[in-house]
Amino acid sequence: MFAFSLTGILSAAIGFVMARLITRFLLGLGIGYVAYEGFEQLIDQINLYLGSTLAAIPPSAFQVLHILNVETAINLVLSAYAARITIIPIYRRFVSIPTGAGA
C-alpha cells in the first residue's frame, strides 16, 4: 500500500517539474525567436542603408573597401549583435543575473 502512494507522489512530482521545465524552455525559445526576427529586420534595414551609401562613393574607394573586406566585417559585427540580442532573453529567462554593487 505504501509503495503505491510513494510511486504516485514521485510521478506527480516528476510530472510537475517536467511541465515547468518544458514551459520555461518553450517560453525562452519563443522570446528568443521574436527577438531574433525583430532584430533581423533591423539588420536588413542597416544593410540596405549601407549598400546605398557604399554605392555613392567613388569606385577607387569602393575597391579599397572591397580589398579590405569591409562589407564582410560589417556583416560579421551585425551577426554578432543579432546572436547577442537573441541569446540575452533566453539567458535572462533561465539564469538569474545578479544586480547591484557587486555585479
Side-chain angles (χ1 to χ4, degrees):
M1 179 89 170
F2 180 70
F4 291 119
S5 63
L6 184 62
T7 308
I9 291 171
L10 284 176
S11 66
I14 289 172
F16 177 74
V17 169
M18 290 302 292
R20 278 191 56 116
L21 284 175
I22 291 171
T23 303
R24 288 181 68 150
F25 174 75
L26 291 176
L27 186 61
L29 190 64
I31 290 170
Y33 178 75
V34 169
Y36 175 76
E37 284 298 320
F39 198 71
E40 186 69 27
Q41 290 189 3
L42 179 64
I43 287 175
D44 289 340
Q45 292 296 321
I46 291 171
N47 277 334
L48 285 174
Y49 173 74
L50 290 174
S52 65
T53 303
L54 289 176
I57 65 174
S60 59
F62 183 77
Q63 288 175 350
V64 169
L65 292 176
H66 183 68
I67 290 170
L68 294 174
N69 287 329
V70 171
E71 62 271 354
T72 305
I74 290 171
N75 281 332
L76 212 141
V77 169
L78 291 176
S79 297
Y81 277 123
R84 185 169 192 266
I85 294 296
T86 304
I87 291 171
I88 284 175
I90 296 170
Y91 184 77
R92 284 187 181 158
R93 182 76 182 145
F94 288 106
V95 178
S96 62
I97 299 174
T99 58

